[in-house]
Amino acid sequence: MSERERSHWAWGYTDAFPDEPGREALAAQVGALLGREVSLRPLPTLESARLSDPRVLPPVSLAPISSAAPKDRILHTYGKGYRDLVRAYRGDFSVAPDWVSFPRSEEDIEQLLAHCAVEGIAVIPYGGGTSVVGGIEASVGDRPRGVVSLDLRRLDRVLEIEPVSRSARIQAGATGPVLEEQLAPHGLTLRHFPQSFEFSTLGGWIATRAGGHFATLYTHIDDLVSSIRMITPAGTWASRRLPASGAGPNPDRLALGSEGILGVITEAWVRLQARPRYRASASVTFPRFADGVRACRMLAQSGLYPSNCRLLDRTDALLGGVFVDGEAVLLLAFESADHPLGPSMDRALVITAEAGGICPEGPVFREERGEGARAQATYKQSFFRAPYLQSALVSLGVLADTFETACTWDRFEALDAAVHEAVLPALQRALGGGVLARRFTHVYPDGPAPYYTFIGPARDGHELETWAAIKDAASHAILASGGTITHHHAVGRVHRPYFRAERPEPFEAALRAAKRAVDPAGIMNPGALFEPDER
Amino acid sequence: MSERERSHWAWGYTDAFPDEPGREALAAQVGALLGREVSLRPLPTLESARLSDPRVLPPVSLAPISSAAPKDRILHTYGKGYRDLVRAYRGDFSVAPDWVSFPRSEEDIEQLLAHCAVEGIAVIPYGGGTSVVGGIEASVGDRPRGVVSLDLRRLDRVLEIEPVSRSARIQAGATGPVLEEQLAPHGLTLRHFPQSFEFSTLGGWIATRAGGHFATLYTHIDDLVSSIRMITPAGTWASRRLPASGAGPNPDRLALGSEGILGVITEAWVRLQARPRYRASASVTFPRFADGVRACRMLAQSGLYPSNCRLLDRTDALLGGVFVDGEAVLLLAFESADHPLGPSMDRALVITAEAGGICPEGPVFREERGEGARAQATYKQSFFRAPYLQSALVSLGVLADTFETACTWDRFEALDAAVHEAVLPALQRALGGGVLARRFTHVYPDGPAPYYTFIGPARDGHELETWAAIKDAASHAILASGGTITHHHAVGRVHRPYFRAERPEPFEAALRAAKRAVDPAGIMNPGALFEPDER
């Protein structure tokens, strides 16, 4: 269990939140960006948090693993999306769960589910609490008599490492750093680095089909999972550990993305990789964003499989502190534990040049034996720092959020135009202005995963409505242009109405029926993915 | 629609079946292998086929697309597994469907399903009829009043080609050659070559999670599908065409492997590739099979992604007419439409040498511009010829079949030993001898897909019991050793009891419930994947 204190309202550790000089510098920076004065607001205290008394309490049998203490309930009320930050900043914890359980074993989980099924109490599996889509929020409809947050933090061990197949059996509550630390002595890595890496967990990644940092090939956790154990109210769902199979629909693929509605994921066998030895990187700039898009498409279809292929537009580069002499910059990288990367990088730079890109500094090649780990850590620190800044912006009265999608290459130009046509006027109407930045986080042979950031001055007291209007405009633009409502942020409760427009209708019927089969009392995270059943 | 006549009992086209001199040569060859005389038996005629009268007939409204003619019913009775070939050879077509429908459109399918739901008639989607696991056989339990085989051959068109994302929308009834022919003028290929390629269809591949010829990376059709349309009795299941998504469990992954129990797949958007320009190949021999296994593992974990990485043991090489000076030979190849393959092949040969392999002839590199297509065709001909030989062996009274699996690397040695310990005595007991050959068809970072061939002299009249005993011994050995009952041959009816042992129990409950939700009358291919509901 972590000893550093987590903020009750903001992203991450309390001691890592920007201090006063840090917030002042951020205020100056974002004020310049938005062309208006931005000033510091006081930070909320835990004491000012408001929540109701629990409606139900844990039975004596569950007391050793349960807590109804206000602080635990508060810490398990929200994820870390913009609307979560705003509500928590305001001290509004009215949707807090009634209690929190910290099971130590699958038996504890079985006992908890059995109690809740009999009593009609909803159960929300909780990993790192980093959902940005309301996936762990106790908005469960009017049927349950209460809500328990089931925190998996005590199940955080790497149980087995099997080096021949480069696989490990890992408990669902292990966070990124905790599992990587246990793998490192074996020279192995899961190599799955979502931006929430520091806090999010293996079980959470599986439940939400999380996307990692790497741009091609094994982008989602889906591809790294070789078997899953999940405790459902109807029994244990344990798949066979296999490299591949063709026997019926893949059971793991039904657990992947199930967002807690079928059961509690307790562990998984995952595919590891040797730690990279060779690295190559380059920055390529383009006169027009469309040229960068074309380069990304050609790279994605080349069979070269870069580990990084991150295209930033000028605004996004500015926000990220990346210098760009042009309208777009492509951060390109290759990694291998096996072979030098000269041929791959050389060919990639020929491709980007054909698309009009220039790489004035040339590529950088590194061969690492141990000491390289430090450089990587520095890079990661800045990547993992971004969510702290979003929380700090909320404390400055600035609205800042991201949304992301994936679409086929032929549809990207129209989708991008539709997003701009929807979001910029929405920002103007609601806030009198703001900025919209874009990047590709992942690229596939048949399409990119575009990722947008919007920032504007929030109107005090109206943050949630303003945000909802912009989010809705963006979501409709994406869906109408053939994109998906999310490439790697899951559905939860926020994306539910848009997911409804995207999924095949009989598939919803099939999934609801599957849920009823393994969760007849309807206690597992009701309200995630689709509307909860009515009373 | 194909004009060449398909055999009513054997694999493929009648005119491609080995002639008398061909059968005599095969008899001599396999006689030498088995150490006993093998002689020709007469071939069965269509006229001698026995089947019952239909129990139900198509209504007038479906008459234009339906046939209850004996020949059509006979041609839709069996797939092409060993037990299918034996029963058809004997003229036993007692499980023939009552009629066959050849829909021209989704509307035809909807009308057919509606009629069958009302009348309690089972519907079995039929693509190329190449199932080796009884997937299309009208053994549907005692509830349905009759059975219709729904043949998709009239839906065989490439409807759209979208070159920017390199994607195409293709109807489910298109066979491999028919869809590749329509893609070729655009310089594109689906690059999915199962051994059944000539006859099997896109819809069949999706319904059974078919494996292609290529050894790494995109091995199953699963990875090549970006959306699916499926007509269920409860409505149209149409997913959104996307390069990737994280929105809930992937609906396509529930259709993939559904084997017709949820609905009829009518079309899909698939991911294409540019036709390869660069090719590299090499044959590497190993003093021991275990050395070859180690080389395959190192290659699979190298990130080099060979297109072919086919390890044959001495017996398998002999059967395939490949010369081997050692105990194993690795057929290694790389392909690219984008870049020369020297660095990849050079590194791969360093890896195989480290594992004890030698490549006396060295690698062969080719750059192809059009004329290369012919060489590829020759290779494919011999690959695609194997199923004809199995049918011919049945006509020689020889039992010949294959089974396949996938397991993690750490388990392969024990699995392989268990298979040998189970199958060789079973062959000895039942047939007084026989041979068992093995290969890897696909290799993954965490494990291989082993593929076994067994051949022995059949005992006239006892073929099915003998085969069942050997199959059962092999299947139990595989499951007990941590393998899957199938890497790419599907479940159907043959693998049903073994699939039961492999799948998570709550997953079966979920899948049965999903089926009931979209197929409330229980008409869709009852008996595939799991036991049909009782009356």
Side-chain angles (χ1 to χ4, degrees):
Chain A
M1 279 172 134
S2 166
E3 290 165 16
R4 285 172 74 187
E5 188 177 73
R6 292 278 296 272
S7 170
H8 81 281
W9 76 275
W11 180 266
Y13 295 119
T14 305
D15 62 24
F17 191 80
D19 57 10
E20 293 298 286
R23 286 209 294 154
E24 275 161 20
L26 187 64
Q29 192 189 343
V30 76
L33 179 78
L34 298 176
R36 66 182 67 198
E37 193 162 334
V38 169
S39 55
L40 276 58
R41 301 193 296 169
L43 298 182
T45 61
L46 183 60
E47 291 65 37
S48 63
R50 301 178 307 278
L51 74 172
S52 316
D53 289 337
R55 296 161 295 176
V56 289
L57 285 172
V60 174
S61 61
L62 295 171
I65 58 161
S66 303
S67 163
K71 185 173 174 187
D72 284 319
R73 295 174 58 212
I74 288 167
L75 280 166
H76 291 80
T77 302
Y78 293 123
K80 298 296 176 195
Y82 176 76
R83 58 197 269 286
D84 299 328
L85 299 170
V86 167
R87 288 180 293 173
Y89 180 87
R90 292 178 182 169
D92 172 9
F93 290 87
S94 52
V95 294
D98 296 286
W99 86 76
V100 184
S101 281
F102 303 89
R104 301 151 301 191
S105 64
E106 291 189 346
E107 293 66 37
D108 281 351
I109 294 173
E110 287 162 2
Q111 211 190 328
L112 177 65
L113 297 194
H115 173 79
C116 291
V118 168
E119 297 294 327
I121 297 169
V123 178
I124 301 182
Y126 182 103
T130 60
S131 172
V132 294
V133 292
I136 51 159
E137 177 177 326
S139 302
V140 297
D142 62 359
R143 283 186 64 188
R145 295 180 47 234
V147 179
V148 183
S149 180
L150 190 166
D151 186 321
L152 287 141
R153 71 176 58 190
R154 284 179 172 166
L155 300 173
D156 70 346
R157 283 175 45 229
V158 173
L159 298 172
E160 281 183 69
I161 292 178
E162 195 273 276
V164 181
S165 313
R166 298 202 312 205
S167 302
R169 184 159 71 93
I170 305 180
Q171 290 184 305
T175 63
V178 163
L179 68 86
E180 288 291 349
E181 240 166 59
Q182 295 174 76
L183 298 175
H186 304 267
L188 294 166
T189 170
L190 180 57
R191 200 176 174 273
H192 182 75
F193 302 118
Q195 200 159 33
S196 59
F197 175 79
E198 270 191 281
F199 303 101
S200 56
T201 60
L202 176 62
W205 300 339
I206 293 172
T208 61
R209 297 178 65 197
H213 173 265
F214 294 97
T216 67
L217 227 44
Y218 304 116
T219 56
H220 285 85
I221 193 73
D222 309 35
D223 299 313
L224 305 179
V225 167
S226 60
S227 73
I228 294 172
R229 270 180 79 87
M230 178 165 71
I231 309 296
T232 79
T236 301
W237 173 308
S239 63
R240 187 167 278 232
R241 175 187 162 217
L242 292 169
S245 174
N250 186 334
D252 293 339
R253 297 280 181 169
L254 195 52
L256 282 153
S258 60
E259 303 195 11
I261 72 164
L262 301 178
V264 184
I265 294 163
T266 55
E267 60 178 63
W269 273 98
V270 291
R271 300 178 179 126
L272 308 174
Q273 302 186 45
R275 296 180 83 82
R277 173 174 164 187
Y278 303 97
R279 294 177 197 272
S281 58
S283 293
V284 183
T285 56
F286 295 89
R288 296 174 311 169
F289 189 71
D291 298 325
V293 172
R294 194 163 141 252
C296 284
R297 177 169 63 80
M298 291 164 71
L299 287 168
Q301 296 177 345
S302 69
L304 292 170
Y305 308 118
S307 55
N308 203 1
C309 190
R310 199 164 274 251
L311 182 72
L312 321 181
D313 75 5
R314 197 181 175 78
T315 309
D316 200 61
L318 183 71
L319 292 178
V322 178
F323 172 76
V324 50
D325 180 21
E327 283 305 315
V329 59
L330 176 66
L331 308 179
L332 184 63
F334 291 88
E335 280 187 13
S336 174
D338 179 76
H339 45 268
L341 298 160
S344 297
M345 181 55 93
D346 291 350
R347 173 64 192 151
L349 290 178
V350 168
I351 289 173
T352 55
E354 278 173 20
I358 58 166
C359 179
E361 318 253 311
V364 177
F365 295 96
R366 285 180 298 153
E367 186 180 344
E368 291 166 8
R369 293 177 169 281
E371 85 284 359
R374 181 166 300 169
Q376 182 71 358
T378 312
Y379 165 71
K380 279 186 200 160
Q381 269 165 18
S382 102
F383 177 62
F384 297 141
R385 190 77 193 141
Y388 283 106
L389 299 183
Q390 184 195 19
S391 293
L393 287 172
V394 169
S395 79
L396 304 177
V398 172
L399 190 163
D401 202 9
T402 64
F403 57 91
E404 37 82 64
T405 181
C407 64
T408 50
W409 290 109
D410 58 309
R411 289 170 170 168
F412 169 68
E413 195 182 323
L415 179 140
D416 187 54
V419 164
H420 279 80
E421 279 162 31
V423 173
L424 289 176
L427 281 167
Q428 189 64 42
R429 266 196 310 274
L431 307 174
V435 298
L436 178 64
R438 68 193 152 175
R439 57 171 58 186
F440 290 164
T441 55
H442 304 76
V443 293
Y444 299 88
D446 52 339
Y451 184 99
Y452 296 89
T453 302
F454 60 94
I455 302 179
R459 281 171 50 221
D460 206 11
H462 297 272
E463 290 90 346
L464 297 179
E465 302 86 312
T466 304
W467 173 87
I470 298 167
K471 176 78 181 172
D472 194 55
S475 300
H476 281 290
I478 283 172
L479 289 178
S481 308
T484 174
I485 193 57
T486 179
H487 172 267
H488 60 267
H489 282 170
V491 174
R493 290 165 176 81
V494 167
H495 285 153
R496 209 166 59 189
Y498 314 110
F499 178 52
R500 164 155 239 163
E502 179 176 337
R503 70 188 167 223
E505 199 126 337
F507 176 68
E508 171 170 344
L511 190 55
R512 279 185 186 264
K515 176 176 170 55
R516 277 192 298 271
V518 300
D519 175 25
I523 57 169
M524 295 309 307
N525 205 5
L529 288 178
F530 34 70
E531 290 68 26
D533 290 336
E534 297 297 316
R535 194 176 290 183
Chain B
M1 278 170 138
S2 166
E3 291 166 14
R4 285 172 75 187
E5 188 177 72
R6 293 279 296 272
S7 170
H8 81 281
W9 77 275
W11 180 266
Y13 294 120
T14 305
D15 63 23
F17 192 79
D19 56 12
E20 293 298 286
R23 286 210 294 154
E24 275 160 20
L26 188 64
Q29 193 190 342
V30 77
L33 180 78
L34 297 176
R36 66 183 67 197
E37 194 163 333
V38 168
S39 56
L40 276 59
R41 300 193 296 171
L43 298 182
T45 61
L46 184 60
E47 291 66 36
S48 63
R50 300 179 307 279
L51 74 173
S52 316
D53 289 338
R55 295 161 295 176
V56 289
L57 285 172
V60 174
S61 61
L62 296 171
I65 59 160
S66 303
S67 163
K71 185 172 174 187
D72 282 321
R73 295 174 59 211
I74 288 167
L75 280 166
H76 291 79
T77 301
Y78 293 124
K80 298 297 176 194
Y82 176 76
R83 59 197 269 284
D84 299 328
L85 298 172
V86 167
R87 287 180 294 173
Y89 179 87
R90 291 178 182 170
D92 173 9
F93 290 88
S94 51
V95 293
D98 295 287
W99 86 76
V100 184
S101 282
F102 302 89
R104 300 150 303 192
S105 65
E106 291 189 346
E107 293 67 36
D108 281 351
I109 294 172
E110 286 163 4
Q111 211 189 328
L112 177 66
L113 297 194
H115 173 78
C116 291
V118 169
E119 296 294 327
I121 296 170
V123 177
I124 302 183
Y126 182 102
T130 60
S131 172
V132 294
V133 292
I136 52 158
E137 177 177 325
S139 302
V140 296
D142 62 359
R143 282 185 65 187
R145 293 180 49 233
V147 180
V148 183
S149 179
L150 190 165
D151 187 322
L152 288 140
R153 70 176 58 190
R154 284 179 172 165
L155 301 172
D156 70 345
R157 283 174 47 228
V158 173
L159 298 171
E160 282 182 69
I161 292 178
E162 195 273 274
V164 180
S165 313
R166 297 202 312 204
S167 303
R169 184 160 71 94
I170 305 180
Q171 289 183 305
T175 63
V178 163
L179 69 85
E180 287 292 348
E181 240 165 58
Q182 295 174 76
L183 299 174
H186 304 267
L188 295 167
T189 171
L190 179 56
R191 200 176 174 274
H192 182 74
F193 302 118
Q195 200 159 32
S196 60
F197 175 78
E198 270 191 280
F199 303 101
S200 56
T201 60
L202 176 62
W205 300 338
I206 293 172
T208 61
R209 297 177 65 196
H213 174 265
F214 295 97
T216 66
L217 225 47
Y218 303 116
T219 57
H220 285 86
I221 193 71
D222 309 35
D223 300 313
L224 305 179
V225 167
S226 60
S227 73
I228 293 172
R229 269 180 80 86
M230 179 165 70
I231 309 296
T232 79
T236 302
W237 173 308
S239 63
R240 187 167 278 230
R241 176 187 161 217
L242 293 169
S245 173
N250 186 334
D252 293 339
R253 297 281 182 168
L254 195 51
L256 282 153
S258 60
E259 303 196 11
I261 72 165
L262 301 178
V264 183
I265 294 163
T266 55
E267 60 178 63
W269 273 98
V270 291
R271 301 179 178 125
L272 308 174
Q273 302 188 44
R275 295 179 83 82
R277 172 173 164 188
Y278 303 97
R279 293 177 197 273
S281 58
S283 292
V284 182
T285 57
F286 296 88
R288 296 176 310 168
F289 189 72
D291 298 326
V293 173
R294 194 164 141 251
C296 283
R297 177 169 63 81
M298 291 164 70
L299 286 168
Q301 296 178 345
S302 69
L304 291 169
Y305 308 117
S307 56
N308 203 1
C309 190
R310 198 164 275 251
L311 182 71
L312 319 181
D313 74 7
R314 197 182 175 77
T315 311
D316 199 61
L318 183 72
L319 293 178
V322 178
F323 173 75
V324 52
D325 180 22
E327 283 305 314
V329 59
L330 176 66
L331 307 179
L332 184 63
F334 291 88
E335 281 187 13
S336 175
D338 180 76
H339 45 268
L341 298 160
S344 298
M345 180 56 92
D346 291 350
R347 175 63 192 150
L349 290 178
V350 168
I351 289 174
T352 55
E354 279 173 21
I358 58 165
C359 179
E361 318 252 312
V364 177
F365 294 96
R366 286 180 298 152
E367 186 178 345
E368 292 167 7
R369 292 177 171 281
E371 86 283 0
R374 182 166 301 169
Q376 182 71 359
T378 312
Y379 165 72
K380 278 185 201 161
Q381 269 165 18
S382 99
F383 178 62
F384 296 141
R385 189 77 192 141
Y388 281 107
L389 300 183
Q390 185 195 17
S391 294
L393 288 173
V394 169
S395 80
L396 303 177
V398 172
L399 190 163
D401 201 7
T402 64
F403 58 90
E404 37 83 65
T405 182
C407 64
T408 49
W409 290 109
D410 58 310
R411 289 170 170 168
F412 170 69
E413 194 182 324
L415 179 141
D416 187 54
V419 164
H420 279 79
E421 280 162 30
V423 173
L424 290 177
L427 282 168
Q428 188 65 41
R429 267 196 309 273
L431 308 173
V435 299
L436 178 64
R438 70 195 151 174
R439 57 172 57 187
F440 290 165
T441 56
H442 305 76
V443 293
Y444 299 88
D446 51 340
Y451 184 98
Y452 295 89
T453 301
F454 59 95
I455 302 180
R459 281 171 51 221
D460 206 13
H462 296 271
E463 290 90 346
L464 297 180
E465 301 87 310
T466 305
W467 173 87
I470 299 167
K471 176 77 179 173
D472 193 55
S475 300
H476 280 290
I478 284 171
L479 289 177
S481 308
T484 172
I485 193 58
T486 179
H487 172 267
H488 60 267
H489 282 171
V491 174
R493 289 165 176 83
V494 167
H495 285 152
R496 208 166 61 189
Y498 314 109
F499 178 53
R500 165 154 239 162
E502 179 175 338
R503 71 189 169 223
E505 200 126 336
F507 176 67
E508 171 170 344
L511 190 55
R512 279 185 185 264
K515 176 177 171 55
R516 278 192 297 272
V518 299
D519 174 26
I523 58 169
M524 295 309 307
N525 205 6
L529 287 178
F530 34 71
E531 290 67 27
D533 290 335
E534 297 298 315
R535 193 176 290 183

